[in-house]
Amino acid sequence: MVQVLGKYRSLSVEAKASLWYLFCNLVQKGISFIVIPLYTRLLTTSEYGTYTVFQSWRDLILIFATLNLSAGVFTRGLVKNDGSNDKYTAQMQGLSAAVAVLTLLVVFFFIDPFRGLTGFDEKLVMTLFIYYVFNPSFLFWA
């Protein structure tokens, strides 16, 4: 144990951050794996089906509704814009929110075909786009 702790202390800050990121990611995936049986016990078959369909549509529409800017564009921009990271982050958040709101307006213009395609009611559509407005801020922070 002392050797492992000594090796950990000798790691660079970047290596330690990567190690903790890996650990936290594994814990997050493990928790997700553990709660699936809880969801299937607590929710009816229809409710669980709605939940999984919602997740699938959320991940699919995310690409268009936020341009998926937090998936790599943001990090690359931070590296290139050394001095103005706060301004760049604010601009990326504004762009993501604007695209999400614009996508929401397009979806509301074609709400009936969208509801027919996804099977969502208005509450789920609003929940979806509230997620699209606020989730990029979390991802930029993370």
Side-chain angles (χ1 to χ4, degrees):
M1 185 67 171
V2 174
Q3 288 178 334
V4 171
L5 194 56
K7 284 186 178 186
Y8 173 76
R9 287 184 180 149
S10 67
L11 292 174
S12 67
V13 175
E14 294 83 6
K16 287 180 185 177
S18 297
L19 189 65
W20 281 107
Y21 182 78
L22 172 70
F23 174 74
C24 292
N25 200 8
L26 290 173
V27 169
Q28 181 182 12
K29 300 295 182 193
I31 290 171
S32 298
F33 185 73
I34 290 171
V35 297
I36 288 174
L38 292 173
Y39 285 161
T40 57
R41 293 234 183 227
L42 296 174
L43 301 175
T44 66
T45 304
S46 175
E47 290 170 339
Y48 186 71
T50 302
Y51 169 72
T52 56
V53 168
F54 179 84
Q55 283 185 317
S56 298
W57 279 110
R58 180 200 66 195
D59 293 342
L60 182 66
I61 299 171
L62 175 79
I63 298 166
F64 304 103
T66 65
L67 301 178
N68 217 6
L69 295 173
S70 59
V73 175
F74 177 70
T75 307
R76 187 168 182 170
L78 282 179
V79 171
K80 286 190 174 191
N81 296 324
D82 264 344
S84 58
N85 288 345
D86 290 339
K87 183 178 177 183
Y88 178 72
T89 301
Q91 290 171 344
M92 293 297 280
Q93 286 178 326
L95 180 60
S96 290
V99 171
V101 169
L102 181 67
T103 308
L104 174 64
L105 293 174
V106 169
V107 165
F108 270 145
F109 188 69
F110 298 104
I111 191 69
D112 290 331
F114 185 79
R115 286 183 58 208
L117 180 67
T118 61
F120 294 163
D121 61 0
E122 286 83 10
K123 290 179 188 176
L124 278 179
V125 172
M126 286 308 297
T127 302
L128 189 67
F129 282 93
I130 288 170
Y131 174 84
Y132 292 146
V133 169
F134 291 107
N135 189 52
S137 297
F138 171 74
L139 294 176
F140 292 145
W141 173 78

